[in-house]
Amino acid sequence: VAGREKGMMRQMQESIYFEDLRVGDVFDSASKTITETEIIDFAWKYDPQPFHISKTDAEASMFGGLISSGFMTIATTFRLFYQSNAFKETGAGAHGIDNIRWIKPVRPGDTIRATMEVLALKESISRPEIGNVQVRTSTINQADEVVMTMETPWIVKRRPATQ
């Protein structure tokens, strides 16, 4: 995107290709309110620890109440970015997730959103149709408190050559 300053905050609307990205770019996601039912349903399927599935056990735990699984927070954060559409057509997966930190619990009624900052860009030598993008994602609650951070080496498609 010509004329764009490094580090510019953008809402994610149009498809974003590898060539459109600059180190320092920051993107906002949509937001979502997390419900008690979602927390319990997810936990029963994937992370059935007592403080995720039982209000009584959660109240007696060090958390003092029901909290979301960290894996649910990761999955919800991914969904929020996907639904924001910028990488819907151009995202081609990831090489993993690095440095995940669950900083504060996500509780029923919390509304979370995320920001994603581009840390590094590297063209793929073996696959010229893609680029590798290192990003830092921060998931934030309604009180503007960071609840989770993670770094991800994403794979993003390059803009197709026009004929």
Side-chain angles (χ1 to χ4, degrees), residues 26-79:
V26 178
F27 300 90
D28 279 331
S29 78
S31 63
K32 177 179 183 355
T33 300
I34 305 300
T35 69
E36 179 178 299
T37 301
E38 289 172 314
I39 289 172
I40 293 170
D41 288 349
F42 184 95
W44 271 114
K45 291 177 186 175
Y46 306 109
D47 191 2
Q49 297 183 71
F51 44 84
H52 298 320
I53 61 173
S54 166
K55 286 175 71 173
T56 303
D57 289 340
E59 287 170 3
S61 76
M62 67 181 207
F63 300 108
L66 199 66
I67 64 168
S68 168
S69 165
F71 299 108
M72 180 180 165
T73 304
I74 293 169
T76 303
T77 299
F78 174 80
R79 174 185 163 194

Side-chain angles (χ1 to χ4, degrees), residues 138-153:
S138 298
T139 305
I140 303 158
N141 69 15
Q142 69 281 355
D144 286 327
E145 300 168 319
V146 175
V147 298
M148 183 188 76
T149 59
M150 64 182 171
E151 292 184 15
T152 309

